[in-house]
Amino acid sequence: MKTIGVIPARFASTRFPGKPLAKIDGKPMVQHVWEKAIQCKELDEVLIACDHEDVFKAAKSFKARAVMTDPKHPSGSDRIAEAVKDLKVEIVFNIQGDEPFIAPTAIDALAVLLKHDANILMGTVIKPLTDQADIANPNVVKCVVDDQGFALYFSRAPIPYHRAHLSTGTMYYKHLGLYAYRKDFLMEFKNWPNGSLETVEQLEQLRALERGVKIKTTVTTFESIAVDTPQDLQKAIAWYDKLKSTTK
């Protein structure tokens, strides 16, 4: 069962133009993501889907396999669908190009779920969330799940909401920017029109939930920082520097 990891590296980000090439410890951010992805035991191949010649050249400079894709794609799913449409693969991972610290073990755990259960069409990764600032932060996507580990909803709002304003004993989950799809499902998914919830929240995974497709989740304890803005980059650099100092 061939499994490929695709890193959509979008140069023309609205909030942070050129961010795949933003440097962390002297390396472009997309290289950090790639170096994590190639450590995965469950991925047969890793591919960078570029939308700009500078990103393509950078990928080639650190020996990554890369392809050019249409810069007009509205989402990462559309970009990876173009990248894999002619490839003979069964499971496709969308490994966000702006999550430089994604854990290879989290990717592997999700891959195992799809490989062992053919009924899972789409999966993602979540982690326990305890920081109250992150719970309230609309840039940190939250997820609630059922007792089988399937996502019930994703939101930028704090969910579940406590009507009595009590949070003791309640588990919040942060959604990490990592998806796995069966290729056949991905090719259908990219053609579906945006749903009303997706439009409101600006979260493409809600398109699947609105169509009644279950999204399986796996829980990780590893932290990952999504770099959406230049301010996030500074946070990521500080986090990386602290990590380096503790591993010396």
Side-chain angles (χ1 to χ4, degrees):
M1 185 176 294
K2 188 168 182 181
T3 303
I4 188 170
V6 184
I7 303 169
R10 183 168 176 252
F11 187 87
S13 169
T14 303
R15 287 181 288 178
F16 192 177
K19 71 177 177 179
L21 302 181
K23 297 291 181 67
I24 299 175
D25 195 38
K27 295 179 184 178
M29 182 161 56
V30 68
Q31 182 174 352
H32 285 275
V33 180
W34 177 79
E35 288 178 351
K36 291 291 188 182
I38 62 173
Q39 296 176 38
C40 295
K41 298 176 181 178
E42 299 292 336
L43 297 182
D44 299 302
E45 189 175 355
V46 177
L47 176 66
I48 299 177
C50 312
D51 71 345
H52 192 282
E53 189 66 28
D54 287 349
V55 180
F56 183 81
K57 289 178 180 177
K60 290 298 184 181
S61 74
F62 54 82
K63 311 301 182 186
R65 183 183 175 192
V67 295
M68 289 296 296
T69 56
D70 189 339
K72 297 185 177 66
H73 284 309
S75 72
S77 295
D78 294 289
R79 193 169 310 285
I80 66 169
E82 180 187 346
V84 304
K85 62 183 174 62
D86 296 323
L87 301 180
K88 292 182 179 180
V89 297
E90 295 179 62
I91 298 173
V92 181
F93 270 79
N94 180 345
I95 304 170
Q96 302 288 348
D98 58 7
E99 298 235 7
F101 311 120
I102 192 69
T105 52
I107 297 172
D108 282 339
L110 185 55
V112 168
L113 284 180
L114 269 74
K115 288 180 179 181
H116 289 179
D117 188 344
N119 293 315
I120 299 174
L121 301 179
M122 182 175 176
T124 194
V125 178
I126 58 177
K127 75 173 294 291
L129 181 61
T130 57
D131 186 285
Q132 290 297 317
D134 282 344
I135 292 170
N137 185 350
N139 291 321
V140 177
V141 177
K142 276 69 68 173
C143 177
V144 289
V145 298
D146 66 16
D147 60 4
Q148 301 298 311
F150 287 97
L152 292 170
Y153 193 64
F154 298 86
S155 182
R156 297 183 182 279
I159 53 173
Y161 174 76
H162 284 274
R163 185 177 178 184
H165 303 292
L166 299 174
S167 59
T168 304
T170 297
M171 179 61 73
Y172 288 90
Y173 287 106
K174 172 184 176 180
H175 177 233
L176 303 188
L178 176 66
Y179 300 100
Y181 314 84
R182 299 201 179 277
K183 182 186 173 183
D184 290 344
F185 170 71
L186 173 62
M187 294 304 167
E188 290 183 27
F189 176 79
K190 74 177 182 65
N191 292 324
W192 292 348
N194 290 14
S196 58
L197 297 176
E198 176 184 7
T199 301
V200 170
E201 295 261 19
Q202 292 296 291
L203 298 173
E204 65 177 319
Q205 64 269 37
L206 293 177
R207 191 186 319 167
L209 293 186
E210 286 188 84
R211 290 284 190 120
V213 174
K214 289 189 172 184
I215 301 176
K216 183 70 171 180
T217 68
T218 183
V219 179
T220 184
T221 58
F222 291 97
E223 183 58 278
S224 180
I225 298 175
V227 179
D228 294 313
T229 65
Q231 292 74 26
D232 292 336
L233 177 64
Q234 295 309 309
K235 180 180 177 182
I237 291 171
W239 193 88
Y240 185 84
D241 289 343
K242 181 179 179 180
L243 181 64
K244 279 205 309 181
S245 67
T246 59
T247 55
K248 285 182 179 179

